[in-house]
Amino acid sequence: LALAVGVMAALWAMGIPPGAAKPSVKGVNMGTPAADPTKVQHYAGVSTQFLPHEALEIYRDKIRAEQTGMLANPASKKWFREHRKKKREEERMSQLYRDYREMSRSRSAPYIAAATAGL
């Protein structure tokens, strides 16, 4: 078994062996990390030339502007309105189902009690 695993590993090391299925998960190579950790951005899209507290404030402002822009969009407003309407309708239907089950349970309760008392 160990020999077979070693042979398979050697085949896969050379690439995809003939007749083998291609890997289904696509991988992404993001490159090598920066050699100098001080060059790494702490906040996406904010330059490292800013002081940490300045970079945080800039990043928060960018996120806040993005969020307000998304919510102020007419298409987003329409989507949220329709989503709330759909949720209300789903809740109404589930309440109807619960009420029906409770009603049928309460109607059949005397018959079930009589049947179990007779046994």
Side-chain angles (χ1 to χ4, degrees):
L1 181 67
L3 180 62
V5 172
V7 171
M8 288 302 294
L11 282 173
W12 279 97
M14 293 186 293
I16 298 172
K22 295 194 184 316
S24 62
V25 178
K26 303 264 190 239
V28 177
N29 184 0
M30 301 297 280
T32 57
D36 186 9
T38 60
K39 302 276 187 208
V40 176
Q41 292 177 331
H42 294 288
Y43 303 102
V46 181
S47 175
T48 55
Q49 294 177 350
F50 292 103
L51 295 175
H53 68 280
E54 293 171 336
L56 176 61
E57 191 167 331
I58 292 169
Y59 184 71
R60 282 182 181 165
D61 290 341
K62 286 174 65 174
I63 296 296
R64 191 174 298 121
E66 186 177 303
Q67 185 179 21
T68 56
M70 183 181 69
L71 294 176
N73 185 352
S76 295
K77 287 181 181 179
K78 180 181 176 187
W79 184 88
F80 281 110
R81 187 172 47 248
E82 290 174 355
H83 183 69
R84 282 192 301 269
K85 183 178 178 182
K86 182 177 157 188
K87 286 294 181 183
R88 279 193 303 268
E89 184 64 25
E90 285 178 2
E91 181 58 34
R92 192 178 71 79
M93 290 302 291
S94 63
Q95 185 63 39
L96 284 172
Y97 287 130
R98 284 193 297 268
D99 291 345
Y100 177 76
R101 285 188 195 123
E102 185 61 35
M103 188 175 57
S104 64
R105 227 180 279 134
S106 64
R107 282 187 191 168
S108 60
Y111 300 114
I112 294 173
T116 55
L119 293 176

